[in-house]
Amino acid sequence: MTADASDAVEVRNALLRLRRATGLPVAFGGLLEAGRHMRISELSGTATHALRSLVVTSGTGLGGKTVALSRPCVVTDYSASRQISHEYDAPVAAEGLRSVLAVPVVVRHRVRGVLYGALRTAQPLGGRMLDAAVEAARDVERALVVRDEARTLAAGGGAGWEQVREAHAALRALAPRIADPGLRAELLGACALLAADSGASGDAPRVRLAPREVDVLACVAAGATNAVAAERLGVTAETVKGYLRSAMRKLRARTRGEAVVAARRAGWLP
């Protein structure tokens, strides 16, 4: 997938969260272009423009090492470190950075970008800081997954409803794991649009369903068993059965299939 402006916004917001969570004065990052090259496009807390638009190649410098290994990397004194190559010493020195961490943004086992956090003094960056940086990267990963799904659906145009329903179920299952309330609301709004495009009857009564009841019905509509739905949603099979029974009661359905049909007519599912 090719990065666009909305992806860059996710990186920018993640850098702000990284700085707030760690107290690090500087953060920067960007997404991969053409597979092996990463362009630093977003800066937060920097004093110069030395790092802006810097192109980092896989395997070179700290960020390139992170891309190549697909894992976080840290140096206590960038210019003196023997753990990395030094192609980018000049812009790093121009910004006055010493201790630097880099964490990968990984989507479907492929590195899509790198987030950095840095100090202007040479001192160890503790585990708490690294954990917070990793969590910021996870936020970007979740956002990219959502956007990738949306792009795939848009590009498909005439894609069959089965693919739409599978995507709807996957996005509903992902939503509760997204910490950012704004992004979570955006994702659920996209799910609602998918359901609205399904041709639901405007005359059907709008039965009130709880979010988890809709999640379970979305999994059922995509062909998932109770066990598979439980795994997707991170709950037990008994919990899935409970939500399904409750939804069936509200929808006045005697079977799982009837419940799915009724939920579609009511505009809850695509």
Side-chain angles (χ1 to χ4, degrees), residues 83-224:
Q83 307 302 314
I84 59 172
S85 61
H86 290 277
E87 290 84 353
Y88 314 109
D89 282 8
V92 171
E95 185 57 41
L97 304 181
R98 302 287 296 280
S99 295
V100 186
L101 60 80
V103 296
V105 173
V106 183
V107 177
R108 296 187 177 94
H109 309 293
R110 184 166 65 91
V111 177
R112 293 276 293 274
V114 178
L115 304 184
Y116 301 79
L119 289 169
R120 293 190 170 90
T121 55
Q123 62 188 70
L125 297 174
R128 181 185 65 82
M129 291 184 179
L130 189 58
D131 289 345
V134 169
E135 187 55 37
R138 295 299 87 83
D139 287 344
V140 179
E141 291 166 4
R142 288 186 281 262
L144 293 183
V145 167
V146 172
R147 295 185 191 284
D148 285 356
E149 292 284 358
R151 289 180 189 125
T152 299
L153 287 173
W161 276 112
E162 290 309 310
Q163 290 98 319
V164 173
R165 286 160 185 160
E166 288 175 6
H168 179 266
L171 295 176
R172 292 277 327 183
L174 178 64
R177 301 198 293 274
I178 296 179
D180 186 295
L183 179 59
R184 186 168 60 250
E186 183 180 342
L187 185 153
L188 291 174
C191 289
L193 287 174
L194 287 175
D197 286 343
S198 66
S201 171
D203 298 328
R206 183 66 169 179
V207 178
R208 281 187 172 275
L209 295 178
R212 271 313 204 189
E213 292 169 349
V214 180
D215 294 343
V216 168
L217 287 171
C219 289
V220 171

Side-chain angles (χ1 to χ4, degrees), residues 21-98:
T22 63
L24 291 172
V26 179
F28 51 100
L31 298 172
L32 261 67
E33 301 175 347
R36 290 177 54 84
H37 303 288
M38 189 269 297
R39 183 181 300 275
I40 296 175
S41 62
E42 308 304 317
L43 309 176
S44 181
T46 52
T48 74
H49 295 293
L51 298 169
R52 184 174 296 282
S53 296
L54 183 68
V55 176
V56 177
T57 302
S58 177
T60 61
L62 183 67
K65 181 178 180 179
T66 295
V67 171
L69 297 180
S70 189
R71 64 172 174 79
C73 297
V74 182
V75 293
T76 300
D77 191 342
Y78 191 99
S79 62
S81 175
R82 297 182 179 181
Q83 307 302 314
I84 59 172
S85 61
H86 290 277
E87 290 84 353
Y88 314 109
D89 282 8
V92 171
E95 185 57 41
L97 304 181
R98 302 287 296 280

